[in-house]
Amino acid sequence: EAGVTQFPSHSVIEKGQTVTLRCDPISGHDNLYWYRRVMGKEIKFLLHFVKESKQDESGMPNNRFLAERTGGTYSTLKVQPAELEDSGVYFCASSQDPHRGEEETQYFGPGTRLLVL
Amino acid sequence: KQEVTQIPAALSVPEGENLVLNCSFTDSAIYNLQWFRQDPGKGLTSLLLIQSSQREQTSGRLNASLDKSSGRSTLYIAASQPGDSATYLCAPTYSGAGSYQLTFGKGTKLSVIP
C-alpha cells in the first residue's frame, strides 16, 4: 500500500512568488492534516480536512496560505505571496478514522522543503 | 495551550543498552499519544499509538507507557541497535472542535554507538 506522498520534495523560490505544495494521502483516508516545521522549532499543526471540508484551520498563520482538498482526495497548500519566514518543511499526514483505535494513527509524508530567498 | 517537553534533548548510548525517553505534556486532557521517529531528511515514521484509556503499548523492542494524570509518557527501547539512531518525537493528540491535531515536542536525538 502506498504511503502519503508529497510533491515537490524541495522548492526554492524568491520572496513574493507563489508556491503550491501537493499531498496525496493514503487511499481511503478521509482525514488529511498539514503541519509545518520552521528552522529550530517544533512541528506545528496548520489544518485538518475531513474529506473535502476544513475541520480545523486554527493553525494557518495568515491569509497568504490557502489549502484545498477538492473531491476529498489530494490536497494542495498554496502560499501567495511567499515571505522569508515561510521557509521550512511542510508535512502532510493522513488518518483513517480518529475515533477507532489504531485507525487514529496519523501517517506522515516525507515533507516538502521550502526555501524562500 | 498544550506544550510538550522531551528530555533529554540528546542521548548517546552504546549498542545493546536499554534506554528510556521521556515526554511530558501540560494538558492532561489528551485523546491519544503517538511516538514517532524521524531520520535525517526524512518524514516521520509512526512507532506506537497509545490511547488515553491505555497504560501502555508494545511493539517489538519498543514499549510506550502513558500516565495521563501526571502528563507523562515514556518510550522504552530494549537492546538498542545502531539502526535505532534517529530523533524520537512524542505527540499527544488534543481533540477540540472535532479536530485531532498533534502537538509535538522538540524531540530526543538518539545515537547508538556500535
Side-chain angles (χ1 to χ4, degrees):
Chain A
E1 180 182 306
V4 177
T5 58
Q6 293 186 246
F7 182 83
S9 59
H10 296 78
S11 181
V12 181
I13 61 172
E14 294 193 350
K15 176 182 171 180
Q17 289 187 320
T18 297
V19 63
T20 300
L21 313 181
R22 173 171 168 144
C23 168
D24 286 78
I26 293 172
S27 178
H29 283 196
D30 288 339
N31 295 272
L32 187 149
Y33 307 81
W34 285 97
Y35 295 85
R36 176 176 77 165
R37 171 188 271 155
V38 296
M39 183 71 75
K41 301 284 190 179
E42 302 90 338
I43 297 171
K44 297 283 190 184
F45 167 81
L46 296 178
L47 85 159
H48 170 203
F49 282 100
V50 178
K51 296 185 180 179
E52 67 276 7
S53 300
K54 291 177 186 174
Q55 183 69 36
D56 180 358
E57 52 185 330
S58 62
M60 295 287 264
N62 52 60
N63 60 10
R64 294 185 295 102
F65 289 75
L66 175 64
E68 295 181 322
R69 193 183 182 195
T70 307
T73 54
Y74 71 91
S75 174
T76 58
L77 180 65
K78 180 189 288 188
V79 185
Q80 179 182 29
E83 299 288 346
L84 300 179
E85 63 264 25
D86 301 333
S87 296
V89 183
Y90 290 77
F91 293 103
C92 175
S94 70
S95 68
Q96 191 167 358
D97 186 333
H99 305 102
R100 292 177 58 184
E102 284 303 308
E103 295 178 9
E104 299 167 10
T105 300
Q106 292 189 29
Y107 296 92
F108 277 68
T112 293
R113 283 144 188 81
L114 175 65
L115 179 60
V116 183
L117 301 176
Chain B
K1 180 186 173 187
Q2 179 78 275
E3 291 187 4
V4 178
T5 303
Q6 292 190 245
I7 295 172
L11 181 63
S12 183
V13 300
E15 181 177 2
E17 241 185 50
N18 302 326
L19 58 101
V20 175
L21 307 181
N22 297 291
C23 170
S24 62
F25 42 92
T26 52
D27 186 347
S28 62
I30 65 170
Y31 187 72
N32 61 39
L33 185 145
Q34 281 188 252
W35 280 93
F36 295 89
R37 69 174 278 168
Q38 185 174 24
D39 296 279
K42 301 287 182 67
L44 280 65
T45 301
S46 180
L47 298 173
L48 289 164
L49 179 144
I50 182 164
Q51 295 178 296
S52 60
S53 58
Q54 295 177 309
R55 298 285 291 182
E56 64 178 58
Q57 189 70 264
T58 298
S59 176
R61 295 183 293 108
L62 305 179
N63 176 276
S65 68
L66 176 64
D67 184 341
K68 262 189 63 174
S69 60
S70 66
R72 294 177 189 276
S73 177
T74 62
L75 180 68
Y76 174 83
I77 302 177
S80 58
Q81 301 172 358
D84 295 330
S85 299
T87 296
Y88 289 80
L89 297 161
C90 159
T93 302
Y94 176 69
S95 64
S99 177
Y100 297 86
Q101 55 179 278
L102 295 169
T103 301
F104 285 88
K106 289 188 174 181
T108 294
K109 186 174 182 179
L110 173 66
S111 297
V112 180
I113 312 301

